[in-house]
Amino acid sequence: MSEPRSPRPGDRLLPVAPGLQVTAHLWALLRGRRRRLAGVLALFLVEAALSLVFPLVVGRLLDTVIASDGSGVPGAFWWQAALLTGAALASGGLAWIAAGTLARLAETVIAELREAYVDAALGLPRHTVEAAGVGDVVTRAGDDVAQVSAALPEAVPRLCRSGFTLVLAAAGLGALDPRYLLGFALTVPPYVLAVRWYLRTAPEVYAAERAARSRQGQQVLGTLTELPTVTAHRLGHRRLADVRAATWQSVRWAMRTRIVQNRLFGRLNLAEAIGLLAVLAIGVRLALAGEATAGQVASAALLFLRTVDPIAALLFVLDDAQSALAGLGRIIGVIRPPGPPAGDGPVPPTGCATRAGDDVVVDLTGVHFAHHPHRPVLVDVGFRIGRGETVALVGATGSGKSTLAALVADVHRPLTGRIARGVPATAVMTVAQETHVFAGTLRENLTLVPRAADDGQVLGALATVGAAPLLAALPDGLDTPVGHGGHPLTAAQAQLVALARLVLADPELVILDEATADADTADAAVLDRAAAVVVRGRTALVIAHRLSQAAAADRILVLDAGRVVEHGTHAELLAANGAYARSWRAWTSGGPSTPTHDGAGTVRAARAVGSP
């Protein structure tokens, strides 16, 4: 019987909010701003009315010129020209004021959306981010927010202006002669068919295009963040193939959106041609019957174009709106998750996480985890970590140490079995082998979590982990910019910063995932002492890079092929004369079996821990 597969990054994207939820959330964001929005809509209404002055006055102007019979410029010409100029200036001014006000309102709402998304994303459970993939999280914060920012301030004014102009222009056509409305009516069926086709086709295409971009981002970011592992295992060609496939899918769906747009525009142009020919035909017939002047026919044609333009603009803006709504659904889906997604997808893990007793911080029972069928990573793992106890994990590369640490940290969920924790997720901190230094000052890097820490506490944390030489080497002390574009830090210095940050945060459960593995020989002793200070007095799970770290722990777990094959204190395991004892003798002998550092940053002896 095959084992179930655990979700891989990108298997399960973050939720997407449905349209009703998007509308409700936007309406809530507009609380306190709705009166200003109503004022903006009123400005667009007046601007739309002024825009109809042009076709009506141009018709009158044409009749005035025809009636003059070349006898000079009639007096009515000047006030009609002045009316055209005044209406154009007033319409442009109102449009400028309304669009600017709406843009400021929209940018404020978008900024609040962005902040709410970042807060919600930072609060996501780590296993949720792991299952969705960092690419999905980053794409929503980047591409989707950018799409909404570009589309909303442009789409809303066009929507308002087009809607108002359409109603007023149709009323003007009817006022000239109700028979002109027959020509307008001929455009309704093509428009309805075009809209029905578009609304049936476009949402799915745009949603798929946004999802394809998320998967592309996940492949690119995943390859970059895991570059050492990709290089060490010579997975470059495979990862490039994955990136190429994801990019092609993104391009494929982008082309599908362009095809949808082109088909929509073709249908709109056909409807416009039918309506304009019908209105001109009706106007010519009325003029031949003496029921309309040439100016009235010209006004009718211009008014019809005023009705066609808003309809086309409304449907054109649907294209931007669909993309913006797809982005809004993905942003709001993280801010206000609509619930577990329905339909096909990876089967959720059957394992669970509950609360442990007061004296037990972590309690694992029968935990099983696998990424692929027939290739289990952890099998029937069970152990406890008591409050204030330090437990070390040792084992060969690929034995499941980091995966087990990720389960304890709630990055993964077990497929079967139970994990109980006696501390909240906010009281758990992990320091991994590769530590990120954020762009900013050293002080800002250290106070990311304990934002209220003063300089005395920051300096004390640095002294605790033995980082005083690092501080002395920086030109501006705590105010020295580090990270990208700042003062470069070595791998060992970056780890000291991470350990000092952990001291300031003061978590209840510490997980060190080979946190001192990247140190050179000269720095190894400093980092080992810093790690020992950090775990002192705290509950800790330590993936030991050197067996001396394991020997200092209260208990040691030896993993082999995903199973716990030995456990006990250092003395007990030496007395048992098993895999750990053999590796200890090899490690302390300084002979051919002295442990070495492999490409994945783990320690292995000539006879690896747990091997026969």
Side-chain angles (χ1 to χ4, degrees), residues 29-47:
L29 279 177
L30 288 171
R31 187 178 293 115
R33 306 183 179 100
R34 295 168 190 165
R35 187 171 299 175
R36 185 160 36 139
L37 179 61
V40 171
L41 296 181
L43 290 177
F44 279 123
L45 176 60
V46 177
E47 186 259 336

Side-chain angles (χ1 to χ4, degrees), residues 231-507:
T231 303
H233 294 277
R234 298 180 180 177
L235 298 174
H237 291 296
R238 182 183 301 178
R239 295 300 298 172
L240 284 175
D242 292 340
V243 170
R244 191 179 299 112
T247 303
W248 170 246
Q249 286 299 316
S250 179
V251 171
R252 174 175 173 266
W253 283 107
M255 293 302 298
R256 285 285 301 276
T257 62
R258 299 300 178 267
I259 292 172
V260 169
Q261 293 170 10
N262 291 336
R263 290 181 178 177
L264 173 65
F265 298 159
R267 286 167 167 79
L268 298 182
N269 291 335
L270 177 62
E272 178 181 347
I274 292 173
L276 182 58
L277 290 175
V279 168
L280 287 175
I282 293 171
V284 170
R285 185 171 182 179
L286 291 175
L288 292 176
E291 299 179 38
T293 64
Q296 289 174 339
V297 174
S299 292
L302 292 173
L303 279 172
F304 173 78
L305 291 177
R306 285 289 181 179
T307 65
V308 167
D309 286 344
I311 293 175
L314 281 172
L315 296 181
F316 290 166
V317 82
L318 282 178
D319 185 66
D320 293 334
Q322 286 294 338
S323 187
L325 287 175
L328 280 171
R330 287 160 52 81
I331 296 168
I332 296 173
V334 174
I335 299 173
R336 297 174 59 183
D344 297 332
V347 178
T350 57
C352 61
T354 58
R355 185 166 180 82
D358 291 338
D359 296 330
V360 178
V361 176
V362 179
D363 186 0
L364 281 74
T365 305
V367 168
H368 177 96
F369 186 85
H371 289 299
H372 299 283
H374 310 295
R375 291 163 61 185
V377 179
L378 297 172
V379 180
D380 195 26
V381 174
F383 64 90
R384 289 184 174 187
I385 304 177
R387 193 168 297 277
E389 184 181 25
T390 298
V391 173
L393 292 176
V394 297
T397 301
S399 60
K401 303 186 301 296
S402 293
T403 301
L404 183 54
L407 284 165
V408 173
D410 200 28
V411 175
H412 298 310
R413 289 289 178 88
L415 294 181
T416 58
R418 183 179 67 91
I419 300 179
R421 299 179 187 85
V423 296
T426 54
V428 181
M429 283 193 67
T430 300
V431 178
Q433 177 182 346
E434 295 181 3
T435 298
H436 183 74
V437 179
F438 296 89
T441 65
L442 178 62
R443 179 189 290 102
E444 290 169 341
N445 267 268
L446 292 168
T447 56
L448 283 172
V449 179
R451 296 181 184 276
D454 57 32
D455 283 2
Q457 293 171 310
V458 171
L459 293 173
L462 289 170
T464 298
V465 300
L470 164 63
L471 187 62
L474 297 178
D476 296 317
L478 292 176
D479 295 316
T480 303
V482 294
H484 182 71
H487 188 89
L489 299 182
T490 66
Q493 290 172 334
Q495 289 293 55
L496 285 176
V497 170
L499 292 171
R501 185 188 300 141
L502 188 146
V503 171
L504 285 170
D506 194 22

